[in-house]
Each structure stands twice: as C-alpha cells, then as structure tokens.
Amino acid sequence: MFNKKILLVYIVILLFLLGGCGAIWLSVKNDPSSDIYEELDLTAANANAAHYYMDVHIGEGWENADKESKALYGTQYDLMLYNNTESSIYDWEIQIQVPKHSYIDSAWNGVYTIDKDNMLTVTCVSYNEEIAAKESIKLGMIMYTPGPWSKIESFAISAKKVNTLYDKPLFWALIVIAFTVLVIAITNMINSIKYQRMQVKYGIYREVTDQALNTFARIIDAKDEYTSGHSYRVGIYSRALAKRMGLDAEEQERIYHIALLHDIGKIGVPDSILTGKTQLTEEEWNLIKAHVSVGGNILMEFSSIPGIDDGARYHHERYDGKGYSSGLKGEEIPLCARIICVADAFDAMSSARSYRSKLPHDKILSELKNGTGTQFDPDIVKHMIDMLQDGSAPINSMVNVPQSMDLQAVAETATAQPAQETKPTEEATETE
C-alpha cells in the first residue's frame, strides 16, 4: 500500500499550491485591470511579434485642391491594430508623430486629433472600445501633409489591460509545480502498487523455493535416521552465525538456503556406509569424502541461489588448508562454506550418530576452541561458542525446524540432559 505519510505530504503540498492559486485569483478579482503603455518601432525586425502591432497601408496620394493650404498633399491611410497578447484591452489610445502642418480631412473607427506638437492621437469609440485577445481592429483616415508622407515608422499605445490568471507568472509557476508534484505522486503510487504486486510474487516464489529446498533436505536426511533434521539445524545455525557476524538479512537467507543442501552429495553414498555402526574403512571414508564433489556438481547450475554449489563443495575444507577436497585454506574458502563448516561440525557433535551418542556440552566447547584457527575460521567459530554458552544452541536434535522460526525460540526446546560419555572416533569433530 502507498505510504500514508508520503501521501499526506503530497496532499499538503497540493493544497498549499491550490491556496496560492486562490490568492492570485483574489488579487485579479480585486484588481481587474491594469494600465499599459508601450512604444513600438515598426521598422524593427519581428515588430509584428510584439504585444501590440500596427500594420499600415498607405494609398496613392493626390494634390490638395486648396492651393493656399500648407498641407498640399492628401493620402488615405488604412491601419490595422493588433492585440497579440492573451488578454483583452480597452480604453485604448494610440499616438503617431506626423509632419508639421498636417490635418485630418476625414477618419473612421475612432476619434482623431492632432495637437500643436504634431502628435496624432486616435482614441477608441464605443463600438471598438475593447480589443479582444489575439484580435485586431481596422482604423483609417485621410490626412493632408505638406508633402508626400508614405511611411509611419513608430507608434505608442496606452490602454487598460484586463487582468487574468494567465497573465500572472506566479500562477503558471504554481501550476507547473502542482503538475510536477501530481505526476510524481501518481508515479510513486503506480510504482508502489507494482512493488506490492512484485512483493506478493516474490513471496510466492520464495515460498516455492523454500518448500523445494526443504523437500530436498528431507530427502537427504531420510537416508539416515540419526541425521533426521540435520540439514535444517545446520541451516538454522548458519543463518544465526551470519546474523551475529553482521551480514544483511538477504545474505542470511542465502546462506540458510545454501546450508540446507550442503549434504546433497550424500545421495551418492551407499546407505550401508552412512548408517554403519563400525568405524569406517579407508575405502568407505574416501566414498564419504567424495560427497562434496558430487554435491558441488549437482548444484553447479543452480543459478537462482548464487554460491549454492560452494556450500556443498567446500564445507569440509579446513581453515589451515588440511581439509578436503580442494585443500583451500583461510579466506580462499568461500565465506558461506566457512560458516557451514562450523555449523555442520557443531550439529554433528551435538547430535547422536549410529556409532556414538551426542557429545556433552563441555566436550563440544573444548572441540570448538581446539579447532579455532585450524579447522574453523576464528572470526566465525567464536560466535558458535557464544551461542553454546548463552543457550541459543543446541536446538532439539530430533526436531525439524521450519526456516521461519526464530533460533532463540527453538533453543527453548533444547534438551538439558547431559549426553552419555563415549569415546569419540577420530572423526568426532568432522562435519557430517
């Protein structure tokens, strides 16, 4: 679901922007018009793109019949006044500088006067008082001048402009911001919905993966009644170690899944060897050791869980390089395998086997300490020792524990009875 706090922030921002637009609307309502004044050079490039523009058409002139007049030349001027803005104007007035001694003979669509400074002023009349946005009006006059005057080069216009929201830059800025916020909010909502759906699918895929791995783990453990639940417990211990080492939750789950199948290679080991109660012969021991290579090969193309084959192939390597089957040492051994090595050895010692009973608490602690730096990574085994000492381990060796159960909760089921003291074989601390 979309985060309610984030949604509330978006709503507050949009309300604030809406309030700003409302304030601008009130200002326009209280001040519906404003005065404008502009001068335009009609000879300038792109003059017709100005806010206000005048197109001038000058007809052929004629001589004044009144030979005593100082204005001897008459001409008809047809004018088109354009309002190129987004707002209407009214009460307009234009001014044009004309030659000295000029006078108006006749005119239309306005009131035309020439003052003593030779300034022609044209003011609106009732029927053309307003020029709408993007519209124009026609003007015209017949004017006599001292000589041919064939070019109007500039004019000035004054008027009242009808104020609208669209004329306010702040209004557009608020609209752009509001639109941006809205797009971001909608995008986040869509992404949130997609994420939720993806999480549901991920949960389904994860459940399928867990069930499949758990099934494989049961198949592995079913080969020996004494190792029932071994893969689960190694997985739980491995995840707990990863957590205590400060690895992130995703890495903890990856290591848990890898640990579940660390013994998958034992599928290729005869049951008579796995369940035998006598000490292994060298040939049998070699078959047991081969399970790491078999397991690594089985899982090498299981790409959905990176490194899952490393857990099967290298969990019997020793920190001092004397393990099998590759003889890796120290940090040459993948981290997941070093973790599983500790968890596997601990569960082997804390669980009963066909050839011995489980080892007592003190014996396990001693073996873990003795193996530090030789069989086990010192930075990992110390956490296993802490788990043993604080009661987080061992868990009940006969309990199959689902991955969703917390290790500390499982530890409460651990048996408190001391194990029967037996003489461990030379492989007592070797992982199963």
Side-chain angles (χ1 to χ4, degrees), residues 36-38 89-95 156-160:
I36 63 165
Y37 177 81
E38 290 192 18
I89 60 173
Y90 63 97
D91 283 348
W92 55 267
E93 177 182 279
I94 62 174
Q95 292 183 320
I157 181 171
S158 59
K160 290 186 179 297

Side-chain angles (χ1 to χ4, degrees), residues 153-364:
E153 296 183 345
S154 64
F155 80 103
I157 181 171
S158 59
K160 290 186 179 297
K161 183 180 71 171
V162 177
N163 289 333
T164 65
L165 285 174
Y166 311 113
D167 299 322
K168 305 295 182 180
L170 181 58
F171 171 76
W172 288 110
L174 293 177
I175 290 297
V176 170
I177 295 173
F179 178 77
T180 303
V181 171
L182 188 61
V183 169
I184 292 174
I186 293 174
T187 301
N188 284 346
M189 290 180 68
I190 293 173
N191 289 339
S192 179
I193 292 172
K194 288 182 178 179
Y195 177 76
Q196 293 297 325
R197 290 176 178 174
M198 183 179 67
Q199 286 293 94
V200 171
K201 289 182 179 179
Y202 174 76
I204 295 173
Y205 295 153
R206 178 177 174 179
E207 184 177 357
V208 170
T209 299
D210 287 345
Q211 290 177 357
L213 295 180
N214 290 338
T215 299
F216 290 144
R218 289 191 184 96
I219 293 173
I220 297 166
D221 293 345
K223 290 178 67 67
D224 183 357
E225 62 177 305
Y226 285 95
T227 62
S228 178
H230 169 70
S231 296
Y232 287 97
R233 292 190 299 274
V234 172
I236 291 171
Y237 293 143
S238 297
R239 183 169 56 191
L241 288 169
K243 182 176 182 179
R244 293 190 179 219
M245 291 167 62
L247 302 183
D248 61 45
E250 183 177 351
E251 184 67 2
Q252 294 172 33
E253 287 304 299
R254 186 183 76 91
I255 290 174
Y256 167 78
H257 288 141
I258 291 175
L260 282 179
L261 298 188
H262 75 283
D263 268 346
I264 194 171
K266 287 186 177 179
I267 290 176
V269 179
D271 293 349
S272 59
I273 296 177
L274 292 176
T275 59
K277 298 184 179 181
T278 59
Q279 191 167 343
L280 298 174
T281 65
E282 182 177 354
E283 182 181 358
E284 290 173 331
W285 182 236
N286 288 333
L287 285 174
I288 286 284
K289 290 194 293 184
H291 83 278
V292 296
S293 298
V294 173
N297 293 336
I298 290 173
L299 298 174
M300 64 186 302
E301 295 186 9
F302 197 134
S303 59
S304 60
I305 301 178
I308 193 169
D309 58 320
D310 288 343
R313 192 182 303 275
Y314 300 119
H315 70 278
H316 278 292
E317 300 292 347
R318 289 171 54 104
Y319 197 73
D320 60 8
K322 298 180 180 179
Y324 61 88
S325 59
S326 300
L328 302 181
K329 65 179 179 178
E331 295 188 1
E332 294 175 352
I333 307 168
L335 178 61
C336 64
R338 280 180 276 147
I339 292 174
I340 294 171
C341 174
V342 174
D344 195 19
F346 176 81
D347 189 65
M349 291 186 286
S350 60
S351 304
R353 291 294 182 263
S354 60
Y355 53 85
R356 62 156 175 82
S357 300
K358 63 182 179 180
L359 303 184
H361 182 285
D362 292 342
K363 180 62 175 177
I364 296 174

